[in-house]
Amino acid sequence: MKFNPLLSLNIFFMIVFCMSCTDDLNFDNINLNVDPVFNGPIVYFKLTQNDFLEDDNSTEIPSITDLSDFEIFKPTNIRENTIEAVIDFEVANSFDRAFEISVKFLDGDGNLVYSLPDLQIDEGNLNYTFSHSIIIQNSPTFVNSRTMSIEVHLMPSSNPIDASISETLEFRSIGTFYLSF
């Protein structure tokens, strides 16, 4: 049988690794934060120029309102343990008109529990972003939210909406929720 120096070297390193020194591990000194964070989409919509025109294609509709379910706080353990919510918005406006978007949170009876500052979207702004943090300790009624009301206001302008020109307003919102147990 031939002597293989590579095999001998491998055996030597395996013995060294198996016999290496280790200290006892003390897990009592570890400061480990395991509070969950989760995020997900809240509301998405895409409006076209036709959504802001009556059936005659000449009369403008000044605002559109939508109510969406907001059930994140429906489970009691989420409602009782959320410490912060961050809502991020992205809007792409290809219209040559400005928009104002109002976002309100309502309880199960339709009562206002929280209102965000109005979003002012300039004409042609394809990259509008806005982030809003809600500290639950400062706004405890926010966890009673069950519905999200979004109202899109078409701002007055000398540029009328043309049904033959394709324009869109794309809105998306994402929520990040921080919990502590």
Side-chain angles (χ1 to χ4, degrees):
M1 186 164 184
K2 267 182 149 177
F3 174 72
N4 186 347
L6 190 58
L7 180 62
S8 299
L9 190 59
N10 282 340
I11 292 173
F12 172 75
F13 279 118
M14 286 184 0
I15 292 172
V16 169
F17 285 129
C18 289
M19 298 177 71
S20 63
C21 298
T22 60
D23 289 333
D24 291 334
L25 297 176
N26 181 359
F27 289 101
D28 295 332
N29 295 331
I30 293 177
N31 184 9
L32 185 61
N33 182 1
V34 291
D35 290 336
V37 175
F38 63 95
N39 63 5
I42 299 175
V43 172
Y44 171 84
F45 61 81
K46 189 174 188 177
L47 300 172
T48 67
Q49 74 281 0
N50 295 329
D51 293 315
F52 290 97
L53 292 172
E54 293 285 348
D55 291 336
D56 62 4
N57 282 342
S58 63
T59 307
E60 291 183 0
I61 299 171
S63 67
I64 297 173
T65 302
D66 181 55
L67 295 175
S68 298
D69 290 337
F70 187 75
E71 297 182 350
I72 191 70
F73 297 121
K74 196 171 185 179
T76 304
N77 62 339
I78 301 294
R79 188 171 51 253
E80 292 176 350
N81 295 296
T82 300
I83 57 173
E84 180 181 8
V86 177
I87 314 279
D88 295 305
F89 299 94
E90 296 176 358
V91 181
N93 177 15
S94 70
F95 281 80
D96 60 354
R97 300 279 294 272
F99 288 91
E100 181 179 85
I101 300 176
S102 302
V103 179
K104 295 176 175 52
F105 294 89
L106 312 172
D107 66 12
D109 296 326
N111 300 313
L112 179 68
V113 293
Y114 195 85
S115 181
L116 272 65
D118 289 343
L119 311 177
Q120 305 292 328
I121 298 38
D122 293 331
E123 61 274 353
N125 186 347
L126 299 175
N127 297 307
Y128 179 88
T129 59
F130 177 74
S131 184
H132 186 79
S133 174
I134 303 160
I135 306 298
I136 303 304
Q137 183 177 359
N138 298 339
S139 301
T141 59
F142 181 69
V143 297
N144 297 328
S145 300
R146 297 297 176 272
T147 305
M148 190 172 174
S149 170
I150 300 174
E151 189 169 359
V152 179
H153 302 278
L154 179 63
M155 302 308 289
S157 173
S158 60
N159 298 330
I161 292 180
D162 185 350
S164 65
I165 299 173
S166 178
E167 298 174 310
T168 59
L169 177 73
E170 189 171 7
F171 177 95
R172 51 185 94 204
S173 58
I174 299 167
T176 304
F177 301 89
Y178 298 87
L179 282 72
S180 181
F181 291 95

